Amino acid sequence: MSSPRLLKHPHDPNLTVAAEEFFFPDVRTTVNLFAIHTRSVGRDWSYPPHEHPQYEINIVLAGEQIMVVDGRSFIQRQGDLILLRPGIVHSSRSNGEGFTYFCMHFDIDDKLFLSLLSRLEQVLFPADGTVAKQMGPALGKLLGLSALEDKGIDGDSVAKRMRIQSAVFELFATLWEAVSSEAAHLPGRGYVQAELAHQIASRLQGRVNQPYRQAGSLEKQDGIEGISSELGISVSHCNRVFRSVFGVSPRVYLSELVLHEAKLLLADPQWSVQQIADLLGYGDIAHFSRQFKRWSGQSPTSYRKNIALESSPE
């Protein structure tokens, strides 16, 4: 692979910027996992009706289970997957013989993912169906982690917890891909709005992550107006849809992204405040300083000094 071609920064000839770059999207998703386990039970086993505030994924690994969900009875056979929404009353029992199952409870703050799951009316996904088949390899990776303790890896180690998170995110990715196609025909304006809002957020992140931009581009709200034009929607519709999903306007969200980027740059002493103002698209250092102080309550210079004091050894 050839090395990236470098360009001089338009405002500072001492700076160079790669002509070709790819920025991965920022990842700010929080996932909480509860009671992940496999269990083998006998023919007389049962679990009483209950509910919980998390989603549940339940898969039979061997044998058969009878799951009663909101008054409806399902026979769950080997490889069948059941997906339960929060607050749904359910119970389970053996179907005449013992069986083995995998169970995981989770909550996630990704609004687009939640919007998709909330639209699903289907509870049981059969083993020979698209969803269960696509999730098979990722599930196998997660189940394989139970063997790590046999290899001398501490079950509560940081390494194992990281591997569990990695496997779960892979499981969610395949769940998303499989369920998206299943849910595409379902009505649901909320899902469409959430997807559009996340497209707007992704483009806002891209605006901030550009290697350099025209002076004053962020000040002129180029991000919001340009994104609205790209998506073929009005600025007012862009604002309305974005606020309905994220709870703030695109302008406020963009300001938070710029503030975060500014703080990262200020923590690196190789960048002067003038260079940072240029990199973030501000026309002059004074405007950037005023904006930063309005956002954070202190000037860029004061913030940099405080960061240096906090990181210096006592």
Side-chain angles (χ1 to χ4, degrees):
M1 181 181 294
S2 60
S3 300
R5 185 166 55 93
L6 298 180
L7 298 177
K8 292 297 183 182
H9 190 279
H11 304 300
D12 189 337
N14 295 319
L15 298 179
T16 56
V17 182
E20 296 180 1
E21 292 183 309
F22 174 77
F23 283 89
F24 289 87
D26 292 347
V27 178
R28 301 183 181 183
T29 300
T30 299
V31 173
N32 296 307
L33 307 172
F34 309 89
I36 306 176
H37 64 279
T38 59
R39 179 179 292 163
S40 296
V41 298
R43 66 176 64 191
D44 298 324
W45 181 88
S46 65
Y47 203 93
H50 64 287
E51 61 181 88
H52 37 70
Q54 301 90 24
Y55 279 89
E56 177 181 334
I57 291 175
N58 188 294
I59 302 173
V60 168
L61 303 177
E64 291 185 1
Q65 171 180 214
I66 296 179
M67 179 84 78
V68 179
V69 181
D70 203 18
R72 298 170 58 197
S73 183
F74 298 90
I75 299 178
Q76 188 180 4
R77 299 179 173 87
Q78 182 174 346
D80 290 352
L81 179 149
I82 279 183
L83 178 63
L84 301 173
R85 294 197 300 269
I88 299 295
V89 177
H90 57 286
S91 62
S92 55
R93 68 179 188 273
S94 296
N95 191 20
E97 299 292 337
F99 68 97
T100 301
Y101 71 93
F102 165 85
C103 180
M104 179 180 77
H105 303 82
F106 69 91
D107 61 41
I108 184 171
D109 66 357
D110 189 300
K111 296 181 180 180
L112 186 56
F113 191 41
L114 289 179
S115 179
L116 177 64
L117 295 183
S118 67
R119 294 172 62 230
L120 287 175
E121 296 182 359
Q122 187 173 351
V123 173
L124 177 67
F125 297 87
D128 58 355
T130 301
V131 173
K133 280 185 176 180
Q134 287 190 224
M135 290 180 64
L139 176 63
K141 181 177 179 180
L142 183 58
L143 291 172
L145 292 174
S146 63
L148 289 178
E149 293 180 42
D150 297 334
K151 297 178 181 180
I153 297 179
D154 183 2
D156 294 326
S157 70
V158 172
K160 183 170 183 180
R161 284 191 281 111
M162 292 297 180
R163 288 188 176 97
I164 290 172
Q165 291 182 57
S166 173
V168 167
F169 270 106
E170 186 172 338
L171 187 71
F172 287 163
T174 56
L175 175 62
W176 166 266
E177 291 168 349
V179 172
S180 291
S181 59
E182 294 284 321
H185 65 285
L186 296 176
R189 184 171 177 80
Y191 169 72
V192 175
Q193 287 189 337
E195 185 174 29
L196 178 58
H198 277 258
Q199 290 179 13
I200 296 168
S202 178
R203 283 169 168 78
L204 288 172
Q205 291 174 2
R207 294 297 197 273
V208 175
N209 289 335
Q210 288 175 4
Y212 56 81
R213 50 192 66 78
Q214 294 181 349
S217 61
L218 293 179
E219 301 169 28
K220 297 176 182 178
Q221 205 183 2
D222 174 72
I224 300 168
E225 293 177 353
I227 288 169
S228 299
S229 177
E230 292 170 11
L231 295 175
I233 59 177
S234 66
V235 173
S236 61
H237 185 59
C238 174
N239 281 308
R240 184 168 55 253
V241 169
F242 194 89
R243 185 183 291 274
S244 71
V245 173
F246 287 94
V248 297
S249 68
R251 177 189 286 274
V252 171
Y253 185 84
L254 179 60
S255 296
E256 293 174 350
L257 292 175
V258 175
L259 174 61
H260 176 72
E261 185 71 12
K263 286 182 174 180
L264 292 178
L265 292 170
L266 286 167
D268 188 342
Q270 74 167 312
W271 303 104
S272 70
V273 176
Q274 177 66 65
Q275 291 169 340
I276 293 171
D278 290 341
L279 286 170
L280 293 177
Y282 284 89
D284 59 75
I285 188 173
H287 193 171
F288 167 66
S289 297
R290 287 195 300 270
Q291 284 288 79
F292 188 87
K293 187 171 184 178
R294 184 168 65 87
W295 290 332
S296 66
Q298 54 187 321
S299 69
T301 302
S302 297
Y303 178 82
R304 171 166 277 174
K305 288 180 179 178
N306 290 334
I307 287 293
L309 288 173
E310 291 173 3
S311 59
S312 62
E314 297 183 359

